[in-house]
Amino acid sequence: MSVPPYQWSLREAAARIRRREISAVELTRTALARIQAVEPAIGAFLTCCEADALAAAESIDRRMAAGEDPGSLGGVPVAVKDNICTAGVRTTAASRMLESFVPAFDATVTAKLRHAGAVIVGKTNCDEFAMGSSTENSALGQTRNPWDSSRVPGGSSGGSGAAVAAREVYAALGTDTGGSIRLPAAFCGVVGLKPTYGRVSRFGVIAYASSLDQVGPLTRDVTDAAMVLEAIAGHDPADSTASPRPVPAYQDGLDAGVRGMRLGLPREYFVQGMHPEVDRAVRAAVGELERLGASIEEVSLPHTDYAIATYYLIATAEASSNLARYDGVRYGLRVPSANLGEMYERSRAAGFGTEVKRRIMLGTYALSAGYYDAYYLKAQQVRTLIRRDFAQAFERCDALLTPVAPTPAFRLGERIDDPLTMYLSDILTISVNLAGLPALAVPCGMDSDGLPIGLQVIGRPFDEATLLRIGYAHELASDWHRRSPLP
Amino acid sequence: MRYVHTVGIHIDEVRRIATLARLRLEAAEEERLCAELGAILEAFERLQRLDTAGVAPTAHVEEFGAPLRADEVTNLPADEALLAGAPARDGRRFRVPKIIE
């Protein structure tokens, strides 16, 4: 029996379109049918744009018929997290505040996906304004983990992780401010890449914490992540933080192997409290890379213990400033009021959910007169120390290997009433954002309940190529990425 | 909320911050946030024990400065598309409550 098209990798789907074995319209129809079949159980999407997707696919087929190149992602159905603007398609950030917001323009990453020929089939669920670790903070829908419907998909890009794992799309974009691509990738058993700060434009991405936010792909394997990164990376005149460095051909050299590489294990990332099966799976992956010729050594990132506090002060401070724009004046929710001040307060009270209000309050506090030095400035200083830890480790190592999270996917409802415990879900991912580094999450095992476990590979700034090479070597030696939660 | 906190933040402080953040909170929300923020700040107290004298703060990690682009208009007029999302409008203007008596 042949493999159904929705089980193909992105690379295979793009190659088959190029060889005219299937048309873009046919492939898009199979994806839309798959979405219709599995969405009642998964809930990965907030908006599905069937008509737009079929029109985009038709245009790819016409281009090919005219002898033109369909693009590196030509005709392949993909999804975009709903905090990334799509012209003419509702973009909500999973918030009541933006429930009916329709952007007038595409984010740069959206435009780049379209330019590469990708067919955008819908917008994926996430935690409201990307604030959360489980997607339970969405005001507009619940997403379930495709491996176990009683568990969270991770967050904040939970819809993107679930959509890729459930084979609804071949790739999805996510955003990662403290782990929001890597955590759902690990919990859903897919590949997730958080690029270096500055590698990918954020123009048109709804801002959460601007010194930390990055956009990246969630895919079924490492090759697909390389393909999507290559399509979306690069300088953008509309985002001055997007680096002018040239974008490498990430697929070249993927198979160069890890022989001679020096890989570090940060001892602070292998601590008690970690699920024993996570520890075992990650150490097995490390052993495999050593067998393939990498040398492994223990390193120390001594300020790791301070990362959660540092992150949650800096991120919330920036969020309180970024979210000041939601005032009910030009777009978004407005609660009609007699005067302007009351309109601001009532619109924001009605439009923002519990976690968003909590973070705005914490951030406003950290920035307010009398507390700025003790909290915000202090956190920025500790951020410098965390960056130095990594710089020192990278003097000796080409990359660092860690788990993505201390546990596999937790249960829906398990942490939602306890913000501090929820924040601890990010303990192994947030330092990477504070230091602006790239990191790759790849599936590296399953626990005894059949839940996926993720390996995190952290690299030097702008060295995504090395991370992808390590991930690819691991992938060749294992078959975790081939496992599918649904038939 | 199961936290017991000692660092604490006074309810009047919660109200002051809510005013700064332009958030109208219900009484129950104020009390819950008072307990939660107190517990979160207490957990974050560890930062205060770290000596950071002489450490420069990191505001962002980019190292290539801020590239400039030519001062040219590149976007097309999109007033109708932008006004289409207005909560209230009056022709080509956004309608808001009166701010000057």
Side-chain angles (χ1 to χ4, degrees):
Chain A
M1 206 184 104
S2 70
V3 174
Y6 57 77
Q7 293 286 3
W8 298 340
S9 70
L10 187 163
R11 191 172 77 109
E12 181 174 1
R16 284 178 184 264
I17 284 182
R18 215 171 258 278
R19 293 198 299 262
R20 298 171 196 273
E21 292 171 22
I22 189 166
S23 72
V25 167
E26 285 171 292
L27 192 68
T28 301
R29 284 192 200 286
T30 67
L32 293 171
R34 175 71 174 173
I35 288 169
Q36 203 159 35
V38 306
E39 267 302 279
I42 305 296
F45 285 87
L46 290 177
T47 302
C48 192
C49 29
E50 299 190 10
D52 287 355
L54 287 169
E58 278 165 22
S59 121
I60 294 291
D61 286 338
R62 275 198 305 274
R63 267 159 67 179
M64 288 195 58
E68 291 171 41
D69 188 284
S72 62
L73 310 178
V76 179
V78 302
V80 173
K81 185 178 180 181
D82 211 24
N83 63 346
I84 300 174
C85 284
T86 40
V89 175
R90 180 176 90 124
T91 299
T92 67
S95 179
R96 296 250 171 258
M97 182 61 84
L98 296 175
E99 192 168 0
S100 51
F101 173 65
V102 178
F105 58 91
D106 270 339
T108 296
V109 287
T110 306
K112 280 178 174 269
L113 280 182
R114 294 192 207 277
H115 181 74
V119 173
I120 296 170
V121 297
K123 304 298 295 289
T124 50
N125 196 17
C126 55
D127 287 295
E128 183 176 3
F129 287 103
M131 297 178 189
S133 310
S134 68
T135 310
E136 292 168 291
N137 293 328
S138 170
L140 304 180
Q142 183 177 58
T143 303
R144 294 172 180 277
N145 191 308
W147 294 91
D148 177 348
S149 62
S150 72
R151 296 189 185 257
V152 302
S156 68
S157 313
S160 294
V164 172
R167 307 302 194 241
E168 296 176 76
V169 286
Y170 296 89
L173 292 187
T175 60
D176 191 316
T177 304
S180 286
I181 288 173
R182 292 159 285 159
L183 194 64
F187 282 8
C188 293
V190 300
V191 171
L193 176 62
K194 182 260 171 207
T196 309
Y197 186 81
R199 183 66 292 181
V200 178
S201 164
R202 291 96 50 83
F203 176 74
V205 178
I206 294 173
Y208 158 23
S210 303
S211 80
L212 305 164
D213 297 341
Q214 257 300 284
V215 183
L218 292 98
T219 56
R220 300 173 192 182
D221 64 30
V222 170
T223 306
D224 293 355
M227 289 175 71
V228 178
L229 179 63
E230 198 171 323
I232 63 172
H235 182 59
D236 177 10
D239 177 3
S240 67
T241 67
S243 171
R245 284 171 186 249
V247 178
Y250 291 110
Q251 280 187 84
D252 296 351
L254 265 187
D255 56 357
V258 296
R259 185 162 299 285
M261 275 196 198
R262 294 163 304 167
L263 305 178
L265 300 184
R267 74 170 68 96
E268 294 81 2
Y269 283 59
F270 294 83
V271 291
Q272 57 186 36
M274 192 187 302
H275 194 294
E277 291 182 278
V278 170
D279 189 72
R280 194 177 329 134
V282 169
R283 287 188 192 279
V286 171
E288 191 60 43
L289 290 166
E290 188 169 25
R291 195 185 62 77
L292 293 168
S295 64
I296 308 290
E297 61 179 291
E298 192 173 85
V299 296
S300 176
L301 300 169
H303 295 93
T304 299
D305 259 1
Y306 302 96
I308 290 269
T310 303
Y311 172 83
Y312 277 96
L313 289 169
I314 289 173
T316 59
E318 294 184 15
S320 74
S321 170
N322 271 325
L323 272 61
R325 75 190 68 186
Y326 302 104
D327 56 8
V329 172
R330 289 157 300 155
Y331 58 89
L333 183 79
R334 174 189 293 192
V335 176
S337 309
N339 70 67
L340 198 63
E342 197 175 297
M343 188 183 94
Y344 294 156
E345 293 192 348
R346 290 172 61 178
S347 299
R348 290 165 65 77
F352 293 141
T354 305
E355 180 62 24
V356 174
K357 287 181 189 170
R358 192 182 285 136
R359 294 198 192 189
I360 289 174
M361 289 289 288
L362 182 60
T364 304
Y365 180 82
L367 289 176
S368 65
Y371 299 102
Y372 182 94
D373 285 3
Y375 289 106
Y376 184 61
L377 185 65
K378 184 81 180 182
Q380 287 189 317
Q381 289 177 305
V382 181
R383 184 176 184 181
T384 302
L385 299 176
I386 290 169
R387 288 182 73 192
R388 280 184 199 160
D389 286 354
F390 280 104
Q392 275 161 18
F394 285 121
E395 282 171 13
R396 292 167 56 190
C397 299
D398 298 307
L400 307 176
L401 305 174
T402 81
V404 175
T407 68
F410 46 91
R411 290 189 189 282
L412 289 160
E414 190 178 320
R415 298 185 187 175
I416 195 68
D417 294 324
D418 187 349
L420 270 174
T421 303
M422 186 69 90
Y423 296 172
L424 289 173
S425 312
D426 306 330
I427 194 159
L428 305 177
T429 49
I430 47 175
S431 297
V432 162
N433 300 76
L434 290 167
L437 304 170
L440 178 71
V442 294
C444 74
M446 292 263 172
D447 76 355
S448 46
D449 293 327
L451 298 171
I453 294 167
L455 168 74
Q456 176 171 235
V457 192
I458 304 170
R460 297 190 179 106
F462 296 97
D463 197 14
E464 284 83 358
T466 294
L467 304 187
L468 293 163
R469 208 167 119 191
I470 296 166
Y472 188 74
H474 170 262
E475 197 172 87
L476 281 183
S478 64
D479 70 343
W480 301 111
H481 65 289
R482 274 191 249 282
R483 304 200 181 191
S484 172
L486 307 173
Chain B
M1 201 72 247
R2 71 185 79 141
Y3 300 131
V4 179
H5 59 275
T6 53
V7 169
I9 166 169
H10 196 270
I11 192 98
D12 289 342
E13 190 77 320
V14 171
R15 292 183 184 129
R16 187 181 72 88
I17 299 297
T19 303
L20 287 174
R22 300 287 183 271
L23 285 172
R24 177 164 298 199
L25 301 178
E26 307 286 333
E29 267 182 308
E30 287 175 351
E31 283 175 32
R32 188 175 45 74
L33 278 163
C34 193
E36 288 173 353
L37 295 181
I40 291 169
L41 292 169
E42 183 182 341
F44 292 180
E45 274 304 294
R46 68 176 63 206
L47 284 187
Q48 310 307 327
R49 296 194 292 271
L50 190 62
D51 182 8
T52 53
V55 178
T58 294
H60 60 83
V61 299
E62 75 218 51
E63 286 160 353
F64 45 85
L68 299 175
R69 59 183 151 92
D71 185 14
E72 288 164 0
V73 176
T74 53
N75 55 321
L76 299 169
D79 48 349
E80 199 38 55
L82 293 169
L83 279 157
R89 63 184 284 191
D90 180 356
R92 294 187 63 246
R93 291 169 293 220
F94 297 100
R95 194 175 183 88
V96 291
K98 197 170 173 179
I99 50 170
I100 302 168
E101 291 303 323

